[in-house]
Amino acid sequence: MKDLVIDLEAEKNEILKRYRALLRACKSTLEKGDKRMIRKAFDMALESHSDMRRKSGEPYIYHPIAVAQIAAEEIGLGTTSIVCALLHDVVEDTDVTLDDIEREFGKKVAKIIDGLTKISGVFDTNSSLQAENFRKMLLTLADDVRVILIKLADRLHNMRTMEFMPRDKQLKLSSETVYLYAPLAHRLGLYAIKSELEDLSMKYMERETYQFIKNKLNEKKAEREKFIRDFSEPVKKIVEGQGLVADVFGRPKSIHSIWNKMKKKAIPFEEVYDLFAIRIILDSTPENEKADCWKAYSIVTDLYRPNPDRLRDWISSPKANGYESLHTTVMGPRGQWVEVQIRTKRMNEIAEKGFAAHWKYKESSTDSGLDLWVQKVRDLLKNPESNALDFLDDFKMNLFSDEIFIFTPKGALIQLPLNATALDFAFEIHTDVGASCIGAKVNHKLVPLSYKLQNGDQVEIITSSKQVPKEDWLNFVVTAKAKAKIKSSLKEEKRRIAETGKEILERKLKSLKITYNSENIHKLSYYFKLPSTLDLFFEVAKGTIDMKDLKEYQASEKIIENKPQDKIEAEQVQSLVRTLKSKDADMLLIGEDMQKIDYKLANCCNPIPGDDVFGFVTVSDGIKIHRTNCPNAAKLMANYGYRVVKAKWTNQQELAFLTGLRITGIDEVGLINQLTTVISNDFKVNIRSITVDSDNGIFEGTIMIYVNDTHHLDNLTKRLKMIKGISTVTRFDSEIEKAS
């Protein structure tokens, strides 16, 4: 018993130590009475969570203190946010209510905590719980952006301390993080947090690759630091000679962005040259900022030759999240390209701390892209029709996109995401302009609605009172606002048509002597495989479902009525047994209790034994097995976490699984022959298809082959790489499949 007392004593001291560190972190923003308020919040959190522990066995209070610390130190938030961060879990996990919090800390704190507290209650089963939570959080963002910032701090701490979680939880949280929270941090200008969230997600989703890149970066550390010194010193000397006060240093690229580059360009680690960027931070007065940045730019480009296509000027027109910087890529002293980022201290603080720093400097900036963005989120949330998952996808799409700048006929500037069309522009101006748009003039030339706009285009919209939104518009608009408004108009139109369909169906059922009641209408919807009764009325109005179909339905109902119930059940059981005895049902174990259940392999990533996999319960296709690094995995796990089940391979049987290899190299005589010999003779592998393309001596081919597992595939890949002339052999995924 004595040990435990000592333990508790040590924990008590540790809690106090962490609390003092938190106070030090927010010292700069503290005003009169703030310390007392933080102390009150800390005491309430300590009391509420006193009996709770984290998965690691630590006292739970460590978590709220750490979240408050991130909010203060890494995001730069003030007292209200620190109070909310300390209390962010008390309403959800303890007996404290929102009323208690409002009484103690006021309305503002209660509102933020309400936004942070997960939704409870019953939802439409087709909608995802995570999507609803996210939507609620964004509703509060429209009033107070601190909700999102504290949520990001909470997620960052959870990701940093996730090693004690079960594997399936790690995967679910990582997917959600990379799918939603990292883009959100990016959008709010929190680049440091965005990179860390991506790296931490990758650490759990792609363990081996993450470790491999991390080790490689450590090996080359000394060499890299020497290169940065050699590159920076001449720059520093001249900058100081010109009377500028500047800090020049190298910043390594995040593991996730290196991996992205390797995937995108299909190159090995050794060929990724920009493993770091040089950053020049100038100490300038507000009126000299622009001039000083360009001065530093001319110094760098005098010393090193720049790549003219790689100049990015976000000083003249900042990004929508307030990011300002000058980026250029120059040829370094050892014949390799180096990215140089030039910015002032103020710009750097906005780049590192995003939104919070942006408010601090707000007086100096005239109109803010961030305010516009928050306004867009508000408009999007006002749309009552939007299903949470549609909303999430539309929102996600608008998070990561780069901006283009478009001018109205009068010269006003409008920001749109990359690949936006003339129709997006019309909806951006006003919903009614979008809905009645029939065409546009871009730079005085007539173009169709689907025309993709380029940076700097001047656009004039042509409208007609007879125009109504069309379904195919959804195929080419990219902004969330346009999508939401088009869907809303189409639903309205559909409802109108469905009303007519309802009357027609009522008459038809009467003539067939079928009672018109809700039970029969639901049965009909199910029979015609339609998602809702509204769709049923709509199809009847369109004439897709006519009298003949209704008679067939009537006949099928009669057969079922005449069949005894126990016979139906017996048939269902037999068919289930048959599927469970299918040949590959014992290759995978699925679910918490690892049972053998029937499944299908997803076409989007063609998993094979040995791959890290998970099961996904689809609506119409049973359980589908996906690789955890499948192109769709992050989206499925983030949106439908409740439909994800554990799955792992057993190795009882040798079965062949289809997978694809992409091979490139220098075209030599007999290369194909050597390839097929290795595959068919040495490895006894069946080839399903082979396509080869040779262009000016460069050979590129794809081969679809059957292998037993990842070990088999790795050995084959190694052996193929040894063939003279072959430069790369990579596994590829087939088409990306929609979440069914």
Side-chain angles (χ1 to χ4, degrees), residues 406-411 421-423 425-426 429 433 437-454 456-463:
I406 306 298
F407 294 94
T408 66
K410 289 185 177 162
T421 59
L423 188 56
F425 177 82
I429 291 171
V433 175
C437 174
I438 53 168
K441 280 184 177 174
V442 172
N443 308 330
H444 309 298
K445 282 192 188 133
L446 209 57
V447 298
L449 298 181
S450 57
Y451 177 84
K452 277 189 185 172
L453 300 173
Q454 306 292 317
D457 280 346
Q458 190 165 22
V459 184
E460 183 187 341
I461 296 297
I462 304 159
T463 58

